[in-house]
Amino acid sequence: MPGYSEFYFNVDHGYLEGLVRGFKAGILTSADYVNLAQCETLEDLKLHLQTTDYGNFLANETGPLTISTIDDKLKAKLLTEFHYFRNHAFEPLATFLNFITYSYMIDNVILLITGTLHQRPIAELVPKCHPLGSFEQMEAVSIASNPTELFNAILVDTPLAAFFQDCLSENDLDEMNIEIMRNKLYKSYLEAFYKFCEKQGGTTAEIMRPILEFEADRRAFIITINSFGTELSKDDRKKLYPTCGKLYPEGLHLLANADDYEQVKCVADYYAEYKAVFEGVGSGTGEKTLEDAFFEHEVKLNVLAFNNQFHFGVFYAYVKLKEQECRNIVWIAECISQRHRTKINNYIPIF
């Protein structure tokens, strides 16, 4: 029902919104990160995490702790929480939660195809896939040799089928075509998600609009920067840009014609929030990268989503903030394990 009134919202979605706000209170604070960064070993890290909402999530690990174990357990905990939301959700929240998983599905499909291209066994690749994006026919992805085959044999029965219309081609799946396919899938996905949120109207549209606009524009900036020095033509590059961001249409036209990083930066200067993002980027080693600057901006937008009530944006924001938290913990764990303490504070605090 477009323009959800707060009078009706709590009937179907009040319990889950209350729950996600409760979970959000368990997200690690700056003080928690300071404690984690002072740990000497991964065992110390485990003990510190036990004092937070993570509790005994590593209790069953008897052997020496590894980074991949910590990463897997963090993702498993997020998956459990997400499945609880999904299993108790009514429409249209159920569809909204499904949309959140589609981006992970796209990443998983691309990971499996790329791994197969490099002759990696499928049994080694599947554990590396994000659990939020797993689907039944996933392992069969490796048998396809071109996008049309991939669609007809496997993806036609998955939720990704709707985003695949622009990707159908008989071109062989080499590295360049796989990357083009990823970006076309993301373009269709973001535009469909944006349209769905607009249709919901009310606070959901109001909160999700800037978040998805930023996601679309971030992809446009990164596609442009990554395409320098490759065979991708300017026309082909323009076809990969999602059109639901603030950059559409003038900014995307300027990006399509950019020839180097400085010109991309000039395009960002026309937009206050992106100008600030690019200005925060350092050029020396150990300074903030563009990727980090984008992550920081994304965290700010997602934290703001919790300032309003009676909307679905909090579910999206929670998943993204937890994902950033997982990256932070894994980063600190990597630095501890490699005794590389000089960069241990390069995580992105959330609260």
Side-chain angles (χ1 to χ4, degrees):
M1 176 175 147
Y4 244 114
S5 159
E6 43 269 33
F7 298 121
Y8 306 118
F9 187 91
N10 280 350
V11 176
D12 287 341
H13 316 300
Y15 165 60
L16 289 180
E17 194 198 357
L19 198 64
V20 79
R21 287 178 184 277
F23 281 166
K24 170 244 180 188
I27 288 177
L28 299 185
T29 61
S30 299
D32 290 320
Y33 285 122
V34 169
N35 289 336
L36 292 177
Q38 288 169 353
C39 295
E40 292 294 325
T41 64
L42 293 182
E43 284 300 324
D44 291 350
L45 186 87
K46 175 180 164 180
L47 287 172
H48 267 297
L49 285 173
Q50 279 178 4
T51 63
T52 69
D53 262 34
Y54 281 102
N56 295 327
F57 82 119
L58 291 168
N60 297 334
E61 299 306 312
T62 48
L65 263 186
T66 62
I67 308 288
S68 59
T69 305
I70 294 173
D71 193 25
D72 291 346
K73 292 288 180 184
L74 290 169
K75 283 178 181 163
K77 188 170 188 300
L78 175 58
L79 184 72
T80 308
E81 292 170 355
F82 184 84
H83 275 174
Y84 187 86
F85 296 143
R86 178 63 192 83
N87 294 339
H88 290 79
F90 291 95
E91 288 296 348
L93 177 58
T95 303
F96 182 88
L97 293 174
N98 287 344
F99 262 109
I100 295 175
T101 65
Y102 297 160
S103 64
Y104 300 101
M105 282 188 196
I106 293 170
D107 287 339
N108 287 351
V109 168
I110 299 298
L111 175 79
L112 293 171
I113 297 170
T114 312
T116 309
L117 187 69
H118 294 140
Q119 266 83 50
R120 304 284 285 281
I122 198 83
E124 185 188 311
L125 295 170
V126 171
K128 292 182 178 171
C129 290
H130 199 292
L132 270 179
S134 61
F135 55 95
E136 280 176 24
Q137 305 91 330
M138 204 163 73
E139 286 88 343
V141 163
S142 58
I143 62 171
S145 60
N146 63 49
T148 306
E149 204 175 289
L150 180 70
F151 177 74
N152 292 335
I154 301 133
L155 298 181
V156 70
D157 295 326
T158 71
L160 295 186
F163 312 132
F164 231 88
Q165 303 312 314
D166 293 340
C167 303
L168 295 179
S169 72
E170 297 297 335
N171 295 339
D172 284 345
L173 289 168
D174 58 22
E175 286 209 16
M176 181 76 151
N177 287 330
I178 291 171
E179 216 32 59
I180 288 172
M181 184 165 80
R182 180 209 296 271
N183 289 314
K184 281 185 176 174
L185 281 171
Y186 257 105
K187 171 182 159 71
S188 303
Y189 157 69
L190 282 172
E191 288 167 2
F193 196 5
Y194 188 84
K195 206 176 284 179
F196 175 80
C197 292
E198 287 290 296
K199 190 178 157 197
Q200 298 315 305
T203 318
T204 296
E206 203 180 297
I207 296 294
M208 287 305 294
R209 199 178 291 129
I211 290 174
L212 292 175
E213 281 172 353
F214 166 70
E215 191 54 49
D217 291 340
R218 166 164 64 179
R219 292 203 72 78
F221 281 124
I222 288 171
I223 288 166
T224 309
I225 292 165
N226 288 348
S227 69
F228 297 145
T230 66
E231 302 151 30
L232 196 66
S233 71
K234 289 183 176 179
D235 281 346
D236 287 344
R237 187 204 294 172
K238 194 171 184 181
K239 288 176 192 163
L240 303 179
Y241 295 153
T243 56
C244 54
K246 288 189 174 74
L247 295 177
Y248 178 77
E250 297 90 349
L252 294 184
H253 179 69
L254 292 170
L255 278 184
N257 293 308
D259 292 312
D260 56 35
Y261 181 80
E262 283 308 312
Q263 289 181 9
V264 173
K265 204 166 174 228
C266 289
V267 176
D269 285 349
Y270 292 116
Y271 302 85
E273 62 183 293
Y274 301 137
K275 183 179 181 183
V277 169
F278 274 81
E279 278 175 353
V281 176
S283 51
T285 50
E287 291 189 59
K288 197 192 295 176
T289 63
L290 181 61
E291 188 184 27
D292 287 344
F294 277 140
F295 279 143
E296 276 185 11
H297 189 68
E298 183 187 24
V299 164
K300 278 181 202 159
L301 289 175
N302 287 323
V303 168
L304 286 176
F306 285 92
N307 290 353
N308 293 56
Q309 274 186 302
F310 311 120
H311 66 93
F312 298 158
V314 284
F315 296 93
Y316 180 91
Y318 177 72
V319 171
K320 294 298 173 186
L321 290 176
K322 286 300 276 187
E323 203 183 353
Q324 183 57 54
E325 183 174 277
C326 294
R327 278 194 291 267
N328 288 344
I329 294 171
V330 169
W331 172 263
I332 291 170
E334 289 272 13
C335 290
I336 291 169
S337 131
Q338 294 172 18
R339 303 255 179 268
H340 200 74
R341 302 195 72 82
T342 48
K343 292 187 177 177
I344 201 164
N345 291 317
N346 288 11
Y347 55 82
I348 294 163
I350 295 169
F351 293 117

